Every structure is written in structure tokens, then in C-alpha cells.
């Protein structure tokens, strides 16, 4: 087990500086344009692919870092560059992780490369789980997958929402219910190959922030996919469903639900790291402005009201990063989240990002309220962190119920 440390090693620092250079030189100059266009920044994704940042290999290397700090370090630097473009770059990883976690070796080898394409022809993938009536309440999922044994095909019907890259993806990973009575344990994940009839893009959302990231509904109408597109295979699914039914009969349903929630708990520190990156970017802009902006014959940082705000901003950012790093280390090293440490990190970091970006606007005054300065965009982007991957209210619920021993539904 790797020791928990609070400093990156030389190799990690080298990777961090490499990502930071890409964020500073490629992402930031393009950020305002793609925010205004509200379109996927394909040229930037292609540049990321050329140097190896947009690839499965890169994320695998960070994920398997035994210290647990690879992913949060990478997320912080990319989202320091720009949250919307960064989400376009990392969004495919959500679908790739879904295949890596549940798929067979053959499925991984077949579909993951098609998610990324190559530097000359980049592709994206979409992970489709949330629904109009089933966001935090995953057990209420209505999308259904029915097995047609005669044709060895699955037939999927339903509507997914809030899908990053939804409708424009080369490969969609869709979570659907195969046994509604089992709630979340009756779900399975499916690959929908490119150009499959019946899958279409629904509403594309015009968002408050992260506008360079494509977010849309995905509509599935009698979508037929080969039997081998069920991640993990039919035999494994049947065995899992049989165990779930037996446990439900024995009264183990709540324990099953808690195990499902634990999976979300382990992924939340990465979102916390994204929030830390955005908060840090806004803080640095505000600090530089306060050092150079003069009023009444002196820099405004000499005013206690401004200086104390900056002190609070930096303290909150450092505290958020430490919570994220702790949870990331615990997840990689198999330490149980006995106090919902994953939710703690996501809650504090996301709330910090909203507060710090608002403070940055205040320090810049009227300039901060204009699009001439990036803190306005950062403030809009920060709003998403308290919403996706579980709202702040859900995080508090998970933490409270974990501490009290109450079941997490």
C-alpha cells in the first residue's frame, strides 16, 4: 500500500508541468472562442490527441498511479486551463471507464480504440445513464433492454439526458434496466455501435457554463444491438441477476444499494479535482489583478478587504485539494470511506469553486463582470460542480447517512 503523501514526486511533477503547458498554450487561448460558439472544440481535442493527452493510455497511466494522485493532478491542470474544453477532452473517459470496468477483454479491445479514434481522425464517446426522471434516483431508471433470444439481440427503448457527447459520439455506452424489480441491481451496460438505427440526438442543451462541452439528450427507439454488445456478456449478467434476486429474498437489498453508492463515492474526488482547477484559475487571476490594479495611489491588494478575501480563497483551495487527494489515495488503496470521504471532497471542492469564482469577480469589480476577463466564464463554469455527479444536497445526505449508519438509498 502506498503511503499517503502531500507532495508530488519528480515524475508526477514532470507530467503536471507537461499538462499545464498544454493548458496554458493551447486551451486558454481558445477558451473564450469555444465558449461563445457553444460547440465541441475538435481542433483542440485533436491537438491533445497529437501529444498523447487525449488517449486511453494517458488516463490509464494516471489511474494506476499507486499514490492515487495521478488523476486529480491531471484533472486540476486541465480544468485550470478551461472547464468546457477540459470536459470535452475527458468526457470520453467516462464511457471508456464504463467498458473497462464491466467489459470483457475482447470488448475492451474492440470498442475503446473506436471511442478515441486517432490524431488524424479523433472520435468521442458518450456515457448515457441519467434520465429525465432518474438523476440521483438511479433506481427509477425507465430505459429498458429486452433480450430477443431468437436473434441474439438486445432491444433498447428509452431517453437519456445530460449525456456528455450524446448524439455526436462514435460509440455510446448506455445503462438500461433489464429487471425493474431489482432496482439499480437490475441494470446492465450496453455498447451501441456507430450508426446504429434508432439512436438519435434529442435536445442539445444551451448551458449556463461549460459551453464548449456538448451536452444533449439521447433517444433510443427500438435500438437493436448484437448480443455481444452487452458488457460482460449474458452469462455473467444472468449469474449477477440470480444472486441479486436471492439477496433480495434474504433481505439484503439495502446492502446491495449501499455497494452501488460506494461506486459513485469512489469517482467523486475526480470531480472535486476539476473544481479545484477552476477555483485555482480564478484565484490566480484575482491575485494578479489585485497586485497590479491601483486605486487611491496603491495596489488594491494593500487594502485589507481585498487581501483577506485572497487569503480565504487560497486557504479554501488548499483545503479542498487535500480532501481530494486524501479520498483519491483511499480509493486507489482500498481504504473504506467510513465517513463518506469521497463525497466530502466533492462537496467542499465544488462549493469552494463557486465561492472563489464569485470572490474573484468581486475583486475585479466591473471588469470581472465582463467577458473581457476570464473570471466571468470561470464563475459560470463553476456552477456545474455543485450539480453533476451528485448535487451538494446529495453529498450532504450521503455524508450524514454514512455517519449515522442509516441506509443510503
Amino acid at each position: 500500500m502506498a503511503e499517503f503523501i502531500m507532495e508530488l514526486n519528480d515524475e508526477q511533477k514532470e507530467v503536471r508541468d507537461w499538462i499545464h503547458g498544454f493548458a496554458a498554450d493551447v486551451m486558454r487561448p481558445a477558451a473564450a472562442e469555444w465558449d461563445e460558439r457553444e460547440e465541441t472544440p475538435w481542433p483542440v481535442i485533436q491537438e491533445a490527441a497529437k501529444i498523447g493527452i487525449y488517449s486511453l493510455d494517458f488516463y490509464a497511466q494516471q489511474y494506476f498511479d499507486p499514490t492515487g494522485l495521478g488523476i486529480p493532478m491531471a484533472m486540476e491542470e486541465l480544468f485550470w486551463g478551461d472547464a468546457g474544453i477540459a470536459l470535452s477532452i475527458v468526457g470520453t473517459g467516462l464511457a471508456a471507464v464504463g467498458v473497462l470496468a464491466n467489459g470483457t477483454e475482447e470488448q475492451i479491445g474492440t470498442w475503446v480504440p473506436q471511442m478515441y479514434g486517432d490524431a488524424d481522425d479523433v472520435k468521442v464517446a458518450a456515457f448515457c445513464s441519467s434520465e429525465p426522471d432518474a438523476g440521483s434516483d438511479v433506481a427509477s431508471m425507465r430505459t429498458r433492454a429486452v433480450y430477443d433470444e431468437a436473434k441474439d439481440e438486445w432491444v433498447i427503448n428509452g431517453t437519456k439526458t445530460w449525456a456528455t457527447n450524446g448524439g455526436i459520439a462514435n460509440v455510446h455506452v448506455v445503462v438500461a434496466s433489464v429487471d425493474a424489480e431489482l432496482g439499480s441491481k437490475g441494470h446492465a451496460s450496453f455498447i451501441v455501435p456507430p450508426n446504429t438505427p434508432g439512436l438519435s440526438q434529442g435536445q442539445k442543451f444551451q448551458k449556463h457554463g461549460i459551453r464548449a462541452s456538448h451536452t444533449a439528450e439521447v433517444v433510443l427507439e427500438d435500438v437493436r444491438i448484437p448480443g455481444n454488445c452487452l458488457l460482460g456478456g449474458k452469462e455473467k449478467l444472468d449469474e449477477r441477476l440470480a444472486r441479486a434476486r436471492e439477496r433480495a429474498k434474504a433481505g439484503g437489498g439495502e446492502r446491495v444499494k449501499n455497494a452501488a453508492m460506494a461506486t459513485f463515492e469512489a469517482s467523486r474526488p475526480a470531480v472535486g479535482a476539476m473544481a479545484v482547477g477552476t477555483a485555482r484559475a480564478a484565484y490566480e487571476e484575482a491575485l494578479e489583478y489585485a497586485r497590479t490594479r491601483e486605486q487611491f495611489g496603491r495596489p488594491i491588494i494593500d487594502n485589507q478587504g481585498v487581501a483577506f478575501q485572497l487569503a480565504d480563497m487560497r486557504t479554501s483551495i488548499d483545503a479542498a485539494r487535500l480532501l481530494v487527494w486524501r479520498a483519491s489515495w483511499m480509493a486507489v488503496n482500498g481504504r473504506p470511506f467510513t465517513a463518506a470521504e469521497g463525497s466530502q471532497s466533492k462537496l467542499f471542492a465544488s462549493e469552494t469553486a463557486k465561492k472563489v469564482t464569485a470572490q474573484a469577480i468581486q475583486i475585479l469589480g466591473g471588469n470581472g463582470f465582463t467577458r473581457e476577463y476570464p473570471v466571468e466564464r470561470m464563475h459560470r463554469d463553476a456552477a456545474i460542480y455543485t450539480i453533476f455527479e451528485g448535487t451538494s444536497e446529495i453529498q450532504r445526505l450521503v455524508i450524514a447517512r454514512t455517519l449515522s449508519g442509516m441506509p443510503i438509498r
Side-chain angles (χ1 to χ4, degrees):
M1 179 180 294
E3 181 182 358
F4 177 54
I5 57 176
M6 293 184 287
E7 184 177 6
L8 300 176
N9 60 38
D10 290 341
E11 183 178 349
Q12 290 168 328
K13 289 178 181 177
E14 185 177 343
V15 174
R16 177 200 62 191
D17 293 345
W18 171 56
I19 302 170
H20 185 84
F22 176 79
D25 298 339
V26 181
M27 295 174 66
R28 284 209 163 180
E33 175 189 352
W34 292 101
D35 177 71
E36 289 287 342
R37 292 175 62 169
E38 298 193 53
E39 297 175 358
T40 301
W42 293 106
V44 184
I45 299 175
Q46 187 172 34
E47 289 301 312
K50 286 179 180 178
I51 65 170
I53 289 179
Y54 185 70
S55 70
L56 177 63
D57 289 343
F58 170 73
Y59 291 106
Q61 290 172 12
Q62 305 315 311
Y63 180 81
F64 289 111
D65 181 339
T67 70
L69 302 186
I71 288 294
M73 175 269 294
M75 293 299 105
E76 179 177 338
E77 294 305 323
L78 287 171
F79 282 75
W80 171 89
D82 178 68
I85 293 176
L87 194 57
S88 285
I89 292 173
V90 306
T92 292
L94 298 173
V97 168
V99 176
L100 291 169
N102 301 297
T104 64
E105 289 187 9
E106 182 179 356
Q107 289 171 330
I108 293 169
T110 299
W111 297 111
V112 173
Q114 294 187 50
M115 293 180 172
Y116 287 92
D118 56 48
D120 295 321
D121 185 22
V122 292
K123 305 291 186 182
V124 294
F127 182 74
C128 307
S129 179
S130 294
E131 297 184 3
D133 297 317
S136 299
D137 185 10
V138 294
S140 298
M141 187 174 293
R142 295 183 179 179
T143 298
R144 298 287 185 262
V146 178
Y147 184 57
D148 184 342
E149 188 171 359
K151 296 184 178 180
D152 185 26
E153 292 179 338
W154 288 91
V155 184
I156 307 177
N157 283 280
T159 299
K160 296 295 182 178
T161 193
W162 307 121
T164 298
N165 299 328
I168 66 170
N170 194 46
V171 176
H172 290 77
V173 176
V174 176
V175 181
S177 174
V178 295
D179 188 330
E181 294 183 358
L182 291 177
S184 61
K185 292 304 292 183
H187 296 172
S189 297
F190 300 86
I191 290 286
V192 180
N195 303 314
T196 298
L199 184 147
S200 62
Q201 178 182 307
Q203 175 187 6
K204 177 186 176 182
F205 295 105
Q206 305 298 308
K207 303 189 299 296
H208 175 66
I210 54 168
R211 301 198 303 191
S213 173
H214 176 96
T215 310
E217 290 182 333
V218 175
V219 180
L220 304 110
E221 298 179 308
D222 291 329
V223 171
R224 284 185 169 268
I225 58 174
N228 60 14
C229 285
L230 164 66
L231 289 179
K234 184 73 162 54
E235 182 177 348
K236 184 177 179 180
L237 172 64
D238 289 341
E239 292 175 355
R240 178 167 63 82
L241 293 177
R243 290 195 302 269
R245 292 178 186 118
E246 288 300 318
R247 294 175 75 173
K249 289 179 182 178
E254 292 297 343
R255 187 159 59 93
V256 171
K257 288 180 181 178
N258 287 345
M261 289 301 297
T263 301
F264 288 111
E265 184 76 352
S267 69
R268 284 169 175 157
V271 180
M274 299 174 188
V276 170
T278 299
R280 192 185 105 213
Y283 158 76
E284 291 176 1
E285 291 286 340
L287 177 62
E288 180 61 22
Y289 187 88
R291 284 171 171 167
T292 58
R293 174 70 167 175
E294 291 191 1
Q295 290 287 283
F296 304 104
R298 62 180 182 176
I300 63 173
I301 198 171
D302 286 352
N303 297 312
Q304 193 178 80
V306 173
F308 279 15
Q309 281 196 78
L310 289 163
D312 288 344
M313 292 159 75
R314 176 60 185 265
T315 301
S316 295
I317 291 167
D318 285 1
R321 183 184 297 108
L322 288 174
L323 284 172
V324 166
W325 283 16
R326 179 186 68 168
S328 300
W329 173 82
M330 291 176 69
V332 167
N333 288 281
R335 292 290 186 94
F337 286 163
T338 56
E341 287 86 351
S343 285
Q344 284 186 35
S345 69
K346 198 268 185 183
L347 171 65
F348 190 81
S350 60
E351 295 288 346
T352 292
K354 284 187 68 174
K355 182 177 180 180
V356 166
T357 54
Q359 288 175 306
I361 290 177
Q362 191 69 24
I363 290 171
L364 270 67
N367 287 330
F369 199 64
T370 70
R371 294 188 182 182
E372 183 180 351
Y373 290 80
V375 293
E376 179 272 340
R377 183 179 69 253
M378 294 169 183
H379 183 53
R380 288 188 284 107
D381 291 341
I384 193 61
Y385 300 126
T386 61
I387 298 172
F388 72 0
E389 195 75 15
T391 64
S392 287
E393 291 74 21
I394 287 293
Q395 308 308 319
R396 291 185 174 96
L397 181 66
V398 170
I399 295 166
R401 289 191 169 178
T402 300
L403 295 176
S404 68
M406 294 174 62
I408 303 172
R409 294 183 176 89

